[in-house]
Amino acid sequence: MTQRTITVIPGDGIGPDIIDSALKILDKAGCDFKYEFADAGLTALEKHGELLPQRTLDLIKKNGVSLKGPLTTPIGKGFTSINVTLRKTFNLYANLRPVVSFKGTKARYENIDIITVRENTQGMYSGLGQTVSEDGCTAEAMSLVTREGAERIVIFAYELARKENRKKVTIVHKANILKSTSGLFLTVAREISKKYPDIETAEMIVDATCMKLVMNPEEFDVIVTTNLFGDIISDLCAGLVGGLGMAPGANIGDDAALFEAVHGSAPDIAGKNLANPTSVILASIQMLEYLGMQEKADAIRTAVTAVIEEGDRTTCDLGGTHGTTDFTQAVMERL
């Protein structure tokens, strides 16, 4: 079997520390990957004079699968979000954000198991029509939704639900107000849903969705929605299980896939051995599942679950007093 090469983007702030944790755990689990490292974000800007060097883009394209730490996009000065650029460059149209409850966290809920499937390249994040008037008093932006884009993300959600033996897909929209863009998304989603009679379909307006996620999160299984709504809902769902430190993210297209920690770079604790690496470890589990390495994925998930439930060398945000390296060691011992 040919050794698989993964593009690794350590990122900024705590990124290198938590990525190192994930790679050590992957190696301990016997995944036998080869890693090619690439820079992006502030680290790349300082080293190469640009946020997203061509070498990084070339490695992502060459290897097809990437694991990424958090990146920092400088505010202002005309800088474009690096994450948005990566998603659009490689047409990573599906953003996959699962959240699962872990015993031992400070989360307010138990038994949460929700997947948010977010369209990743269109909607309000399309980058089209962004203008500000000369007097600075009027700003405009354009939302773009296409039938093709809506079809592929909704099909992705239903196929995922079927593969994961999920029972329900909730289509989240704002078609009552955004009759053109959200209306088209809802129309397409209704058409697609008829092809999956084995899966229950629900429709819900986005504001009602946010309320019900807080009040009755057990009503949700798989959520599929547009870009902006998915961005907000996926972070809300992360809050149900203890925060962004407990939530991974996958960006998937036809020719490439990028797996990442979804939290920020936390520069205030960078290099202090304090960061919780769970998010990027869970992202690496998503990567293993994408590569068909389910046994390895299950082994790592079982180890992480045990460490958190037992409170063995957990980080401060999990109620412990230990750091990144101790948490990593605890997981590795269980492998």
Side-chain angles (χ1 to χ4, degrees):
M1 183 176 178
T2 305
Q3 186 180 39
R4 182 84 197 209
T5 302
I6 307 296
T7 300
V8 178
I9 305 171
D12 301 312
I14 61 173
D17 292 338
I18 62 173
I19 284 287
D20 181 66
S21 169
L23 298 186
K24 285 179 177 176
I25 289 168
L26 288 171
D27 291 344
K28 182 67 174 180
C31 295
D32 192 32
F33 292 133
K34 177 183 176 183
Y35 305 117
E36 290 189 327
F37 292 86
D39 295 321
L42 284 182
T43 300
L45 188 63
E46 292 169 1
K47 285 185 180 180
H48 312 288
E50 52 187 334
L51 290 170
L52 199 52
Q54 186 60 47
R55 178 180 179 274
T56 300
L57 297 174
D58 292 342
L59 285 176
I60 294 172
K61 181 178 181 180
K62 178 172 77 82
N63 295 323
V65 176
S66 304
L67 183 65
K68 181 179 78 62
L71 301 177
T72 300
T73 300
I75 297 175
K77 299 182 182 179
F79 290 111
T80 302
S81 166
I82 311 165
N83 288 329
V84 171
T85 300
L86 287 170
R87 291 165 187 169
K88 293 179 73 173
T89 299
F90 297 100
N91 199 20
L92 306 174
Y93 63 86
N95 184 244
L96 191 59
R97 290 277 299 270
V99 291
V100 178
S101 295
F102 286 82
K103 292 181 180 178
T105 66
K106 297 179 179 180
R108 296 175 180 270
Y109 297 89
E110 298 178 355
N111 302 318
I112 299 294
D113 187 357
I114 302 170
I115 302 175
T116 301
V117 179
R118 163 192 173 194
E119 201 291 318
N120 219 12
T121 61
Q122 299 187 347
M124 285 305 302
Y125 292 5
S126 63
L128 299 174
Q130 296 207 46
T131 61
V132 180
S133 62
E134 290 186 6
D135 62 6
C137 294
T138 304
E140 295 182 0
M142 184 185 298
S143 177
L144 173 72
V145 173
T146 67
R147 172 169 285 274
E148 178 188 11
E151 283 179 348
R152 67 185 180 183
I153 196 63
V154 175
I155 290 171
F156 184 98
Y158 276 94
E159 287 294 327
L160 174 72
R162 185 173 281 174
K163 177 184 175 184
E164 299 287 335
N165 198 29
R166 300 279 179 155
K167 305 301 182 185
K168 181 180 178 182
V169 171
T170 302
I171 303 162
V172 175
H173 63 93
K174 191 66 176 175
N176 57 322
I177 303 297
L178 304 174
K179 297 182 185 298
S180 57
T181 50
S182 211
L184 176 59
F185 179 81
L186 178 58
T187 296
V188 172
R190 284 173 172 170
E191 293 171 2
I192 299 298
S193 68
K194 294 176 183 177
K195 300 177 181 179
Y196 296 87
D198 52 314
I199 298 171
E200 179 187 352
T201 295
E203 298 174 9
M204 199 171 293
I205 295 171
V206 62
D207 37 335
T209 303
C210 292
M211 179 186 70
K212 289 203 171 186
L213 277 168
V214 173
M215 295 181 68
N216 301 300
E218 66 279 357
E219 290 186 18
F220 296 91
D221 195 355
V222 175
I223 295 171
V224 62
T225 189
T226 48
N227 207 334
L228 175 61
F229 299 157
D231 192 6
I232 296 166
I233 287 171
S234 58
D235 275 19
L236 191 161
C237 289
L240 303 177
V241 298
L244 292 177
M246 300 302 298
N251 303 275
I252 298 173
D254 293 333
D255 302 312
L258 189 151
F259 303 87
E260 61 185 349
V262 297
H263 53 69
S265 58
D268 55 320
I269 61 170
K272 296 182 179 179
N273 192 31
L274 295 173
N276 175 7
T278 300
S279 177
V280 79
I281 295 171
L282 295 178
S284 72
I285 292 174
Q286 284 186 293
M287 181 179 74
L288 293 175
E289 292 172 337
Y290 174 81
L291 293 171
M293 302 171 67
Q294 191 64 50
E295 186 176 337
K296 305 289 188 188
D298 291 343
I300 295 174
R301 184 183 297 279
T302 298
V304 172
T305 299
V307 169
I308 295 173
E309 183 174 350
E310 296 165 19
D312 181 10
R313 287 164 279 182
T314 50
T315 51
C316 294
D317 59 311
L318 293 172
T321 58
H322 292 261
T324 313
T325 54
D326 286 345
F327 181 92
T328 305
Q329 184 61 33
V331 174
M332 291 171 64
E333 287 175 9
R334 286 164 173 79
L335 290 167

